[in-house]
Amino acid sequence: MFPSTSPEAGRESWPAGPHPGPAAAATRGNPPAPRTGPATTDGERRERGGPRRARRSGEPARRSEDEIDEPEEEVVPPVEVHRQLALTIAGFAALLGVGLVLGAQTSGPGHRLPFAFIIFGVQLLFVLAWTIAMRPPAMLVVAGISAVVAALADIAAVQTDVAGLAPLGYLAAGGFLAAVLGQLVRRVDRVRVTDSLGATLLIVVGVVAFGTLIVLSRIPAGTQAITVCLTASGVALTVARLTDAVLPWPRLAPQVPRGAAGVVAGAMVGTLTSALLGSYLVAPFTPTRAAVIGLVAAVTAVLSDLAVGYAEAGRLMAGEPPTMWVARHMQGPLGGFALAAPAAYAMCMLFL
């Protein structure tokens, strides 16, 4: 006979959920005890557990409000603008511009030497001021080579059959290589040569740039172009410095004692002066052409003067001792006229 109950009656029914894993099977015999106490908050849990563990970097997981506050940035006080010094630099820029313009008027066919002597004197001032201010390695060697390059550039500008810039370019390249080789002779100066390549290049190219005025005086309408461009540059530099003495605002940088009002006013007044000169000069000059070439020369001169101020501020912030104040303050106007000279030559070739 068959039993009255089925053999499957004593077994558990098939579970509806998934088959429990090995971890669940291991804990099936000891179920966790139910929680009987009140629920705890995060603050109570942190107090019971003691101080929180620090991260691997050594900082706690959370910081208090006082620690989250960032430190205030250090405010750099602006450099004081010396009124008497700005007036002195303005007077030097005006005298330098008048000397170059009057020297250009003495130039004529067969009479280039007086203008060449004036240019050579300005080149020597440029070499002394920029060498003392920039202080490249082997200063005496760089200054001597630059003076020789300046004399050779003036001779080449006067004596060449065809007026051009090719001889001046060759002299600039040769002078730069000679100055670098002179710095490599001494072991003490050899370490700083790579850091001073820019300073050496500026000194050598600057003295050669003045020689372009002699080349420009040999070109038709070149003397008039020199008059317009150098007058605009001189007026721009003078007005910019005079404005800094009265209203150095807004300050371009706290470490540079220059104002944006002087830079803008100098460029505008220099352009206006060149336009007025163009109305009195003969063809091919017109007020429009004179204003264009005067604008380029004035802006070039003013920005060069401003860049010298930024370079000096950078050297002082780097911890270098200040240089001789005469050379430091002559550097700006000399650099402005040095860059305005090739700009005048380029504008004369393009517009006249």
Side-chain angles (χ1 to χ4, degrees), residues 63-71:
R63 297 182 180 180
S64 61
E65 295 181 357
D66 297 335
E67 294 178 350
I68 294 176
D69 295 339
E70 297 181 357

Side-chain angles (χ1 to χ4, degrees), residues 39-60:
T40 60
T41 60
D42 293 341
E44 295 176 354
R45 194 175 302 156
R46 187 177 294 112
E47 291 177 359
R48 294 178 182 178
R52 299 194 65 180
R53 192 173 48 179
R55 293 183 179 179
R56 294 182 179 180
S57 59
E59 298 181 1

Side-chain angles (χ1 to χ4, degrees), residues 129-308:
W130 277 70
T131 304
I132 295 175
M134 303 292 288
R135 287 178 298 187
M139 284 198 312
L140 295 178
V141 175
V142 174
I145 292 176
S146 300
V148 172
V149 170
L152 294 177
D154 296 341
I155 294 173
V158 173
Q159 297 295 332
T160 52
D161 297 333
V162 180
L165 298 182
L168 302 184
Y170 297 146
L171 287 172
F176 174 69
L177 292 177
V180 173
L181 292 177
Q183 294 172 352
L184 291 174
V185 173
R186 296 179 56 188
R187 180 178 299 178
V188 178
D189 300 327
R190 196 179 306 163
V191 180
R192 298 176 50 207
V193 168
T194 55
D195 298 334
S196 64
L197 289 179
T200 306
L201 181 63
L202 285 176
I203 295 172
V204 176
V205 172
V207 296
V208 175
F210 280 105
T212 58
L213 295 175
I214 304 176
V215 178
L216 185 57
S217 65
R218 299 177 56 184
I219 299 174
T223 302
Q224 296 177 349
I226 293 175
T227 302
V228 172
C229 291
L230 295 189
T231 301
S233 302
V235 170
L237 292 172
T238 305
V239 172
R241 291 291 183 169
L242 290 176
T243 307
D244 289 336
V246 179
L247 184 65
W249 182 88
R251 294 290 293 270
L252 296 173
Q255 299 82 8
V256 181
R258 301 295 304 274
V263 176
V264 176
M268 294 176 63
V269 176
T271 305
L272 177 62
T273 305
S274 62
L276 292 176
L277 285 177
S279 62
Y280 290 101
L281 296 177
V282 297
F285 276 92
T286 61
T288 303
R289 291 183 177 180
V292 171
I293 65 176
L295 173 64
V296 174
V299 171
T300 302
V302 171
L303 292 182
S304 301
D305 186 17
L306 182 62
V308 169

Side-chain angles (χ1 to χ4, degrees), residues 94-142:
L95 290 176
L96 186 60
V98 170
L100 290 173
V101 172
L102 293 180
Q105 299 302 320
T106 63
S107 179
H111 299 85
R112 313 288 182 187
L113 289 179
F115 188 39
F117 281 121
I118 294 174
I119 293 296
F120 184 68
V122 177
Q123 287 170 328
L124 291 181
L125 283 178
F126 182 88
V127 170
L128 292 176
W130 277 70
T131 304
I132 295 175
M134 303 292 288
R135 287 178 298 187
M139 284 198 312
L140 295 178
V141 175
V142 174

